[in-house]
Amino acid sequence: MRVKSEIWVSAYLLRCQAETVPAVIVRRGDAAAGAIFISVDRLDGTVCLYGPAPAGLEGGDMERRWVRCLGASPVASAEASIYLARQREFDEDLWIVEIEDSAGRHFLGDDAIED
Protein backbone atom coordinates (compact mmCIF):
# COMPACT_ATOMS: atom_id res chain seq x y z
CA MET A 1 0.00 0.00 0.00
CA ARG A 2 1.28 3.45 -0.96
CA VAL A 3 1.96 6.15 1.64
CA LYS A 4 -1.02 8.47 2.00
CA SER A 5 -0.76 11.68 -0.01
CA GLU A 6 -0.96 13.90 3.06
CA ILE A 7 1.95 12.10 4.74
CA TRP A 8 4.03 12.15 1.53
CA VAL A 9 3.46 15.90 1.08
CA SER A 10 4.39 16.59 4.72
CA ALA A 11 7.64 14.66 4.30
CA TYR A 12 8.37 16.46 1.01
CA LEU A 13 7.87 19.86 2.66
CA LEU A 14 10.33 18.84 5.38
CA ARG A 15 12.84 17.77 2.72
CA CYS A 16 12.57 21.18 1.05
CA GLN A 17 12.84 22.92 4.41
CA ALA A 18 16.04 20.98 5.15
CA GLU A 19 17.46 22.39 1.90
CA THR A 20 16.25 25.91 2.89
CA VAL A 21 14.01 26.02 -0.17
CA PRO A 22 10.59 27.66 0.25
CA ALA A 23 7.72 25.22 -0.33
CA VAL A 24 3.98 25.70 0.09
CA ILE A 25 0.83 23.71 -0.47
CA VAL A 26 -1.09 25.63 -3.13
CA ARG A 27 -3.97 23.17 -3.17
CA ARG A 28 -4.76 20.51 -0.59
CA GLY A 29 -6.26 17.37 -2.07
CA ASP A 30 -7.59 14.10 -0.75
CA ALA A 31 -5.58 13.09 2.31
CA ALA A 32 -5.45 9.42 1.42
CA ALA A 33 -5.03 9.14 -2.32
CA GLY A 34 -5.01 12.51 -4.09
CA ALA A 35 -2.65 12.88 -7.04
CA ILE A 36 0.28 15.21 -6.28
CA PHE A 37 1.78 17.78 -8.64
CA ILE A 38 5.08 19.54 -7.86
CA SER A 39 5.63 22.96 -9.44
CA VAL A 40 9.23 24.18 -9.33
CA ASP A 41 9.23 27.96 -9.75
CA ARG A 42 12.63 28.95 -11.15
CA LEU A 43 12.06 32.60 -10.11
CA ASP A 44 12.49 33.81 -13.69
CA GLY A 45 8.88 33.49 -14.82
CA THR A 46 9.23 29.81 -15.72
CA VAL A 47 8.38 26.59 -13.94
CA CYS A 48 9.00 22.88 -14.26
CA LEU A 49 5.93 20.85 -13.44
CA TYR A 50 6.09 17.26 -12.21
CA GLY A 51 3.14 14.94 -11.88
CA PRO A 52 2.37 11.28 -11.30
CA ALA A 53 3.95 8.90 -13.78
CA PRO A 54 1.46 7.09 -16.01
CA ALA A 55 0.68 3.43 -15.48
CA GLY A 56 3.60 1.30 -16.58
CA LEU A 57 6.20 3.82 -15.44
CA GLU A 58 5.17 3.67 -11.80
CA GLY A 59 7.59 2.16 -9.35
CA GLY A 60 5.10 -0.22 -7.77
CA ASP A 61 2.54 -0.13 -5.04
CA MET A 62 4.83 1.45 -2.45
CA GLU A 63 6.58 4.29 -4.23
CA ARG A 64 5.58 7.27 -6.30
CA ARG A 65 7.25 8.05 -9.61
CA TRP A 66 7.24 11.44 -11.35
CA VAL A 67 7.40 12.77 -14.88
CA ARG A 68 7.65 16.26 -16.31
CA CYS A 69 4.16 17.26 -17.37
CA LEU A 70 5.01 19.88 -19.98
CA GLY A 71 8.19 18.69 -21.63
CA ALA A 72 11.87 18.77 -20.81
CA SER A 73 12.27 22.55 -20.77
CA PRO A 74 10.81 25.00 -18.25
CA VAL A 75 7.56 26.67 -19.36
CA ALA A 76 5.85 29.98 -18.59
CA SER A 77 4.04 30.04 -15.26
CA ALA A 78 0.77 30.78 -17.07
CA GLU A 79 1.10 27.61 -19.17
CA ALA A 80 1.57 25.52 -16.03
CA SER A 81 -1.45 27.19 -14.41
CA ILE A 82 -3.63 26.33 -17.43
CA TYR A 83 -2.43 22.72 -17.32
CA LEU A 84 -3.20 22.41 -13.60
CA ALA A 85 -6.64 23.96 -14.06
CA ARG A 86 -7.43 21.27 -16.65
CA GLN A 87 -6.18 18.58 -14.28
CA ARG A 88 -8.47 19.90 -11.52
CA GLU A 89 -11.44 19.50 -13.89
CA PHE A 90 -10.69 15.77 -14.05
CA ASP A 91 -9.58 15.26 -10.45
CA GLU A 92 -10.86 17.54 -7.71
CA ASP A 93 -8.80 15.65 -5.13
CA LEU A 94 -5.34 16.58 -6.44
CA TRP A 95 -2.60 18.31 -4.50
CA ILE A 96 -0.40 21.12 -5.81
CA VAL A 97 2.88 21.86 -4.05
CA GLU A 98 5.02 24.77 -5.20
CA ILE A 99 8.67 25.25 -4.43
CA GLU A 100 10.93 28.17 -5.33
CA ASP A 101 14.41 27.31 -6.50
CA SER A 102 16.31 29.28 -9.13
CA ALA A 103 18.42 26.20 -9.88
CA GLY A 104 15.28 24.22 -10.71
CA ARG A 105 15.93 21.45 -8.18
CA HIS A 106 12.89 19.25 -7.55
CA PHE A 107 14.09 17.10 -4.61
CA LEU A 108 12.30 14.05 -6.01
CA GLY A 109 15.55 12.14 -6.35
CA ASP A 110 15.61 9.00 -8.47
CA ASP A 111 11.80 8.84 -8.45
CA ALA A 112 11.72 11.55 -11.15
CA ILE A 113 11.83 10.10 -14.65
CA GLU A 114 13.68 12.74 -16.66
CA ASP A 115 13.25 13.08 -20.42
mmCIF file of all heavy atoms in Angstrom, residues 10 15 19 34 65 67 96:
data_model
loop_
_atom_site.group_PDB
_atom_site.id
_atom_site.type_symbol
_atom_site.label_atom_id
_atom_site.label_comp_id
_atom_site.label_asym_id
_atom_site.label_seq_id
_atom_site.Cartn_x
_atom_site.Cartn_y
_atom_site.Cartn_z
ATOM 1 N N SER A 10 3.750 16.084 3.497
ATOM 2 C CA SER A 10 4.392 16.588 4.721
ATOM 3 C C SER A 10 5.885 16.272 4.728
ATOM 4 O O SER A 10 6.709 17.122 5.063
ATOM 5 C CB SER A 10 3.721 15.991 5.964
ATOM 6 O OG SER A 10 2.410 16.447 6.081
ATOM 7 N N ARG A 15 11.635 17.927 3.556
ATOM 8 C CA ARG A 15 12.843 17.770 2.718
ATOM 9 C C ARG A 15 13.255 19.113 2.126
ATOM 10 O O ARG A 15 14.426 19.480 2.132
ATOM 11 C CB ARG A 15 12.561 16.750 1.601
ATOM 12 C CG ARG A 15 13.601 16.692 0.518
ATOM 13 C CD ARG A 15 14.794 15.851 0.933
ATOM 14 N NE ARG A 15 15.632 15.575 -0.211
ATOM 15 C CZ ARG A 15 16.781 16.204 -0.446
ATOM 16 N NH1 ARG A 15 17.216 17.118 0.375
ATOM 17 N NH2 ARG A 15 17.501 15.893 -1.494
ATOM 18 N N GLU A 19 16.604 21.788 2.929
ATOM 19 C CA GLU A 19 17.460 22.390 1.898
ATOM 20 C C GLU A 19 17.314 23.915 1.850
ATOM 21 O O GLU A 19 17.857 24.553 0.955
ATOM 22 C CB GLU A 19 17.116 21.807 0.523
ATOM 23 C CG GLU A 19 17.348 20.328 0.401
ATOM 24 C CD GLU A 19 18.830 19.961 0.387
ATOM 25 O OE1 GLU A 19 19.669 20.822 0.029
ATOM 26 O OE2 GLU A 19 19.143 18.819 0.726
ATOM 27 N N GLY A 34 -5.020 11.474 -3.061
ATOM 28 C CA GLY A 34 -5.010 12.512 -4.090
ATOM 29 C C GLY A 34 -3.717 12.521 -4.879
ATOM 30 O O GLY A 34 -2.631 12.315 -4.331
ATOM 31 N N ARG A 65 6.312 7.654 -8.561
ATOM 32 C CA ARG A 65 7.246 8.046 -9.615
ATOM 33 C C ARG A 65 6.709 9.310 -10.253
ATOM 34 O O ARG A 65 5.504 9.558 -10.255
ATOM 35 C CB ARG A 65 7.376 6.932 -10.666
ATOM 36 C CG ARG A 65 7.912 5.612 -10.135
ATOM 37 C CD ARG A 65 9.359 5.680 -9.671
ATOM 38 N NE ARG A 65 10.247 6.119 -10.706
ATOM 39 C CZ ARG A 65 11.162 5.384 -11.296
ATOM 40 N NH1 ARG A 65 11.325 4.148 -10.966
ATOM 41 N NH2 ARG A 65 11.937 5.891 -12.228
ATOM 42 N N VAL A 67 6.989 12.376 -13.539
ATOM 43 C CA VAL A 67 7.400 12.767 -14.884
ATOM 44 C C VAL A 67 7.150 14.266 -15.042
ATOM 45 O O VAL A 67 6.310 14.847 -14.358
ATOM 46 C CB VAL A 67 6.632 11.995 -15.989
ATOM 47 C CG1 VAL A 67 6.970 10.525 -15.962
ATOM 48 C CG2 VAL A 67 5.146 12.210 -15.881
ATOM 49 N N ILE A 96 -1.401 20.339 -5.080
ATOM 50 C CA ILE A 96 -0.400 21.117 -5.807
ATOM 51 C C ILE A 96 0.563 21.687 -4.773
ATOM 52 O O ILE A 96 0.146 22.395 -3.846
ATOM 53 C CB ILE A 96 -1.018 22.258 -6.629
ATOM 54 C CG1 ILE A 96 -2.015 21.706 -7.650
ATOM 55 C CG2 ILE A 96 0.089 23.063 -7.336
ATOM 56 C CD1 ILE A 96 -2.827 22.773 -8.366
#
